[in-house]
Amino acid sequence: MANRKVSVWSSIPFWRRSAAWVTGFATMLLIWLSFDTLGQISMGTDADLKNGVTKRVPAPTVINYKIDYKMDAKRGHEVPVIGEKQPFFGKEWSEQEAADLLHLGKLTSQAKNCMNCHTLLGNGAYFAPDLTKAWLDPAWQNGGALQGMTGKNTVEEAMAEFLQHPSQYPTHARMMPNLGITADEAKGLVAFLKHMSSIDTNGFPRNFSKSVETFKAGGTHAK
């Protein structure tokens, strides 16, 4: 009886040691992934933009640049491309001004509960259009239907006009309600949307990238 062999699978010490090893390995892996992710999601600086250093989350001053998306064959999806300087509401915003404007836009989006109808970076509802890449929607670009409807000459002016007076511009059966958005809040919201469109979201949402030409043809840059 004393020499009876016990299977390792029924050994309590074996399972205790195994659990300790698995827990230790998972903890180390989680710590490594956390530090690796921090570098990926940390916001870039104005110097990064000026030096052409690509960050997944660019600095607030990215609102001073043209933003485009291109298909990256290696990654298999679209990636943001920060282009040349582009005035935003007719001027170039300093680091502090851009940061303050984005902060106002973020607070306004929360105060007006935009995610109650829209999706932002994967969070929110699908009752109204996904706003993650709304800035890039060709309908807001020069020659697009939404910009033409507002009578404005730039994307930011058209978006700001629509946000302040949505009932004047019926775009869908599910019309946006008048939320009492002020002119300053509208500027902040548009800056918030432009900055969000510059974030590298690994191709999310899928098939959003359209030039005016591909939009008219019903296609996208995505493959």
Side-chain angles (χ1 to χ4, degrees):
M1 190 71 179
N3 295 327
R4 179 183 176 187
K5 291 186 176 179
V6 178
S7 170
V8 67
W9 304 112
S10 60
S11 170
I12 292 178
F14 168 77
W15 287 110
R16 284 176 177 169
R17 288 194 295 271
S18 298
W21 276 104
V22 170
T23 302
F25 176 77
T27 301
M28 295 301 295
L29 180 63
L30 183 61
I31 292 173
W32 179 79
L33 288 175
S34 297
F35 278 102
D36 182 64
T37 303
L38 283 176
Q40 298 282 341
I41 64 175
S42 297
M43 182 176 282
T45 64
D46 187 53
D48 291 331
L49 288 171
K50 290 177 178 175
N51 295 323
V53 178
T54 303
K55 293 286 186 179
R56 282 185 179 268
V57 185
T61 46
V62 75
I63 62 174
N64 294 320
Y65 293 81
K66 182 178 180 181
I67 299 170
D68 196 5
Y69 260 65
K70 299 293 183 184
M71 188 69 188
D72 187 313
K74 185 177 181 180
R75 294 177 61 181
H77 55 72
E78 298 145 311
V79 297
V81 178
I82 311 301
E84 69 272 15
K85 286 284 185 70
Q86 182 184 58
F88 187 68
F89 286 106
K91 60 175 279 188
E92 180 172 344
W93 299 69
S94 69
E95 289 184 66
Q96 190 59 54
E97 288 175 332
D100 290 344
L101 193 62
L102 251 66
H103 184 61
L104 173 61
K106 182 180 179 182
L107 291 181
T108 303
S109 74
Q110 294 170 339
K112 302 300 181 183
N113 201 12
C114 295
M115 287 198 294
N116 196 39
C117 294
H118 298 278
T119 302
L120 288 78
L121 294 172
N123 297 306
Y126 286 91
F127 182 77
D130 189 323
L131 297 182
T132 306
K133 304 299 178 187
W135 173 264
L136 301 167
D137 189 333
W140 290 108
Q141 312 299 317
N142 186 23
L146 293 176
Q147 184 178 133
M149 184 171 57
T150 62
K152 300 297 181 180
N153 297 319
T154 65
V155 177
E156 59 268 29
E157 290 172 350
M159 282 186 158
E161 171 65 19
F162 174 81
L163 289 170
Q164 293 174 79
H165 312 289
S167 59
Q168 295 182 20
Y169 307 106
T171 57
H172 195 273
R174 299 172 180 173
M175 287 181 57
M176 178 174 163
N178 190 339
L179 300 176
I181 297 172
T182 68
D184 287 341
E185 289 172 339
K187 277 187 177 179
L189 279 172
V190 177
F192 182 61
L193 292 175
K194 184 172 184 179
H195 180 263
M196 188 161 51
S197 76
S198 72
I199 297 175
D200 187 345
T201 54
N202 284 329
F204 174 86
R206 188 71 173 165
N207 297 336
F208 69 86
S209 179
K210 301 175 182 178
S211 66
V212 173
E213 288 73 23
T214 53
F215 177 73
K216 291 177 180 176
T220 74
H221 293 318
K223 296 179 180 178

